[in-house]
Amino acid sequence: MKLRPTYAAALAAIFVSAGAYAQSSVTVFGIVDANVRYVKNSNLPSNVTMNSGGLSTGRLGFRGVEDLGGGLKAGFWLESDVLADTGSTSPTGKFFQRRSTVSLMGHFGELRLGRDFSPASQNVVKFDPFGVVGVAGSNVASRMPGTFASYYRHDNAIQYFTPALGGAQLEVMYAPDESVTTKAGRHAAARLVYDNGPLNLSASYGTTFVNVAGDKLKQMGVGAAYDLGAVRLMGFYQRDELPFGTYGTATAGTEDRILLGFTAPVGAHQIRGSYVRTDSRRGPAAFNRSDADKYSIGYIHNLSKRTAIYSTASYIHNKGGASFSLAGGAPGLAAGGKSAGAEVGIRHAF
């Protein structure tokens, strides 16, 4: 019987083979992460599910760099979602949904073309102890990621990263809408970073045209972290400014999020925690009172540099018309309800 290579294995063989002739280095990398989750939403029935990406988002990637001489380098990065619980990839239908870029790098910095993370959304990821994944991610208590598929990443993006000077670096992005009739989808963003020693600071701003009427999502935020050795403190403030209305199937408006969190390494272990406050603004009175508080705690035991077991627990207290809930629970949480859950899982990186 003939054995057919899987799609991923075939891709790996192609890239590695091509790399042998054209690249200075090619790396195949990835993460497999699966967990068992329990969620209870107010007085609704509890539920148990298996999920992917409780500690780190599952992925399969290929990246490479070619030295062109004179300090100039070319690089590529292709990265796909891997959902360990079902064996599938991104539900968006994009195979390399996480990143698909080609770059030129040198003394001038880096010019990067293709689908990638927007500078406007970096703070909510980099300054969240849970990296916006699993039951504890700060995005669970936000309407924006579910309302706009491009909240974190944008297609057709042109990016420039300046060289790091004394720990300071500027990154900018522009993604055209590629339409002659509408600006919907056009995105521009910038982020200024200072990362030197124990201190990490960041400020970002971005705009996206979200419909043919010309309404804009404006993202603005600041983030900070300080490593004390025994504990790393971090937090961010993010305002997503949006005219109140219905976008697709979701009703949303301006939203403020504040996160305060920490990570504390203890030998081969790590303890993580965060508090997230979500405030709804600039809509009708009922929407403005739709706020939430979210509390999370997590534990990681590193079995090796590549393998870890983890457990995480979260609790959301909604107010007014808010009905944020943890994924996997029974649908139909009433406004002002509560959602609580926990997950235990394994992550392996390669």
Side-chain angles (χ1 to χ4, degrees), residues 94 111-116 118 150 153-159 172-189 207-210:
K94 301 175 186 286
L111 176 65
R112 185 184 298 175
L113 305 179
R115 177 176 174 79
D116 201 2
S118 169
S150 61
R153 296 174 172 84
H154 285 266
D155 296 343
N156 312 309
I158 304 166
Q159 288 188 88
V172 295
M173 171 184 279
Y174 175 72
D177 52 82
E178 297 193 333
S179 171
V180 296
T181 60
T182 176
K183 296 179 180 179
R186 184 181 301 180
H187 175 72
T207 63
T208 306
F209 287 89
V210 295

Side-chain angles (χ1 to χ4, degrees), residues 310-325:
Y310 62 89
S311 60
T312 310
S314 288
Y315 170 76
I316 301 175
H317 180 198
N318 290 293
K319 300 177 181 179
S323 57
F324 297 111
S325 62

Side-chain angles (χ1 to χ4, degrees), residues 109-129:
E110 179 183 356
L111 176 65
R112 185 184 298 175
L113 305 179
R115 177 176 174 79
D116 201 2
F117 227 113
S118 169
S121 302
Q122 291 279 13
N123 291 341
V124 299
V125 176
K126 293 186 178 295
F127 297 99
D128 181 346

Side-chain angles (χ1 to χ4, degrees), residues 11-50:
L11 281 171
I14 291 170
F15 287 123
V16 171
S17 175
Y21 294 97
Q23 300 288 336
S24 298
S25 65
V26 175
T27 301
V28 180
F29 65 95
I31 292 174
V32 182
D33 182 320
N35 63 73
V36 176
R37 179 182 300 172
Y38 168 89
V39 177
K40 171 70 174 174
N41 291 334
S42 286
N43 58 347
L44 298 171
S46 61
N47 196 30
V48 176
T49 58
M50 177 170 283

Side-chain angles (χ1 to χ4, degrees), residues 123-196:
N123 291 341
V124 299
V125 176
K126 293 186 178 295
F127 297 99
D128 181 346
F130 299 92
V132 301
V133 298
V135 294
S138 59
N139 60 341
V140 174
S142 173
R143 297 174 179 85
M144 298 304 166
T147 301
F148 302 107
S150 61
Y151 181 81
Y152 290 118
R153 296 174 172 84
H154 285 266
D155 296 343
N156 312 309
I158 304 166
Q159 288 188 88
Y160 172 64
F161 298 77
T162 67
L165 301 173
Q169 185 177 38
L170 175 68
E171 54 184 287
V172 295
M173 171 184 279
Y174 175 72
D177 52 82
E178 297 193 333
S179 171
V180 296
T181 60
T182 176
K183 296 179 180 179
R186 184 181 301 180
H187 175 72
R191 178 173 176 251
L192 181 62
V193 181
Y194 177 79
D195 190 359
N196 195 353

Side-chain angles (χ1 to χ4, degrees), residues 5 12 35 37 43 66 71 96 100 107 117 125 148 168-169 182 199 211 241 264 274 295 303:
N35 63 73
R37 179 182 300 172
N43 58 347
E66 180 184 12
F96 292 116
S100 175
H107 302 303
F117 227 113
V125 176
F148 302 107
Q169 185 177 38
T182 176
L199 181 62
N211 54 28
E241 192 170 293
S274 71
Y295 307 87
L303 299 172

